[in-house]
Amino acid sequence: MSGPVVIGAGATGVATAGQLADRGERVRLITRRGSGPDHPGIERVALDAGRTDELAEALAGATTVFNAAMTAYQTWPETMPPLFASILAATERAGADYVMLGNHYGYQQTTEPVTERTPMTPHTRKGRVRAELWRQAENAHHEGRLRVTEVRAGQYLGPGAVSAFTLLVADRVLDGELALVHGNPDAAHSFSFTRDVAAALVAVGGDDRSWGRAWHAPVITTTVRRAATELAELHGAPEPRLEPLTERDLALLSLTDPLWREFAEMGYMSERPFIVDDGDIRDTFGLKPSTLREALAP
């Protein structure tokens, strides 16, 4: 099959496959269980992307590979490097271009707006994983093995999104209940709408100006309180009641799911303002973020 391949059927992977198919592309969507949307332009393939030889066969004829794969959050240091190494190697064998979906964890901690030129010197485990995954792909690009780019997104909003906001805040607000917020609910933060991120992936994957560097997806900079208020207004829910999540709250949540233990090290991104500069992708590709209301709409 000749055309694009998307690996991973999370909210952004699904949106990317859908946008490619809607513009007439024949898309292959690879996931471990063969999940994904029922769309005439999307072929769903059940395959473990960590099996390099099998993946390389599935990628035969691919023009561009979009890596939107994700492992369990609490297992990143162990599971992300081998998975991404397999996808990189298989894409190289297929002779396809390679577009990675990343995030902002890999940057050094700073009080300044984060740009694509902010040093990749993270102080967290998950940040070091993300930085190293990019360095390996970037090295492959500079060695001439394949063309590589990455789109970096922030905390997600949108249908199917999984983030601190969707896990902790959204449902509680809609039910009119107290919501515990990870960090300061009034600190400015740059969020990403899944469909905007998908549009960014599609844009950079089809433009010769994109290769050899990373790009920030368009961001919606607001506060958790503003997002919660907008969500409540959209659904006719009461005014949100928000309180910061305490260490004790996080410890209790961690007893039910190891995912919550991982939130502590990333607290610096939510306890004070975390602003991302998306000027490069706006100026180069003309992409702009959706409104907060559009990102929160049903």
Side-chain angles (χ1 to χ4, degrees):
M1 176 190 126
S2 176
V5 175
V6 177
I7 301 174
T12 304
V14 166
T16 301
Q19 290 184 24
L20 289 165
D22 286 345
R23 70 179 195 176
E25 301 269 13
R26 293 290 302 172
V27 184
R28 181 170 290 172
L29 178 61
I30 296 177
T31 65
R32 189 183 294 269
R33 296 180 180 83
S35 57
D38 185 9
H39 189 294
I42 298 175
E43 176 193 359
R44 294 174 295 185
V45 177
L47 176 66
D48 181 351
R51 301 183 183 217
T52 310
D53 291 340
E54 294 177 25
L55 180 61
E57 290 182 14
L59 298 184
T63 53
T64 307
V65 174
F66 296 86
N67 178 5
M70 182 69 65
T71 61
Y73 194 61
Q74 64 272 18
T75 71
W76 277 18
E78 299 78 30
T79 58
M80 290 283 272
L83 176 62
F84 275 54
S86 176
I87 296 171
L88 178 63
T91 303
E92 182 181 351
R93 286 194 209 174
D97 291 329
Y98 184 47
V99 182
M100 293 171 61
L101 172 61
N103 66 13
H104 306 135
Y105 287 10
Y107 294 115
Q108 72 174 21
Q109 187 172 341
T110 178
T111 58
E112 300 297 319
V114 174
T115 76
E116 293 91 337
R117 289 157 290 285
T118 299
M120 298 283 282
T121 53
H123 68 286
T124 65
R125 288 185 315 141
K126 287 187 285 296
R128 287 191 287 271
V129 169
R130 276 298 184 183
E132 182 58 27
L133 294 177
W134 167 243
R135 274 193 283 270
Q136 290 174 1
E138 185 182 34
N139 287 341
H141 174 90
H142 291 316
E143 291 167 4
R145 291 155 47 195
L146 73 172
R147 297 198 300 180
V148 170
T149 187
E150 180 172 70
V151 170
R152 294 177 182 154
Q155 185 178 158
Y156 283 108
L157 301 173
V162 178
S163 67
F165 183 85
T166 64
L167 291 172
L168 288 169
V169 179
D171 286 346
R172 306 286 287 186
V173 167
L174 294 177
D175 290 340
E177 299 175 353
L178 174 69
L180 298 178
V181 176
H182 184 232
N184 180 355
D186 297 304
H189 188 89
S190 294
F191 293 85
S192 296
F193 178 30
T194 51
R195 291 174 186 164
D196 290 346
V197 180
L201 289 164
V202 171
V204 303
D207 195 304
D208 286 339
R209 295 172 294 177
S210 67
W211 305 110
R213 58 158 293 181
W215 304 85
H216 288 163
V219 294
I220 302 168
T221 300
T222 186
T223 67
V224 171
R225 191 178 303 280
R226 179 64 244 164
T229 301
E230 190 83 31
L231 182 66
E233 292 175 355
L234 274 167
H235 291 267
E239 182 177 349
R241 294 179 294 133
L242 309 177
E243 287 185 7
L245 190 71
T246 66
E247 290 185 12
R248 181 176 182 276
D249 294 328
L250 203 53
L252 291 173
L253 284 170
S254 298
L255 295 175
T256 64
D257 191 329
L259 166 75
W260 299 107
R261 295 192 199 102
E262 303 297 315
F263 275 57
E265 73 167 350
M266 307 312 300
Y268 74 96
M269 299 178 75
S270 56
E271 291 163 358
R272 51 187 172 273
F274 185 83
I275 308 300
V276 174
D277 185 333
D278 61 2
D280 281 9
I281 206 162
R282 287 175 180 249
D283 294 342
T284 305
F285 301 104
L287 298 181
K288 295 180 181 179
S290 301
T291 65
L292 178 60
R293 182 167 284 257
E294 288 169 335
L296 295 171

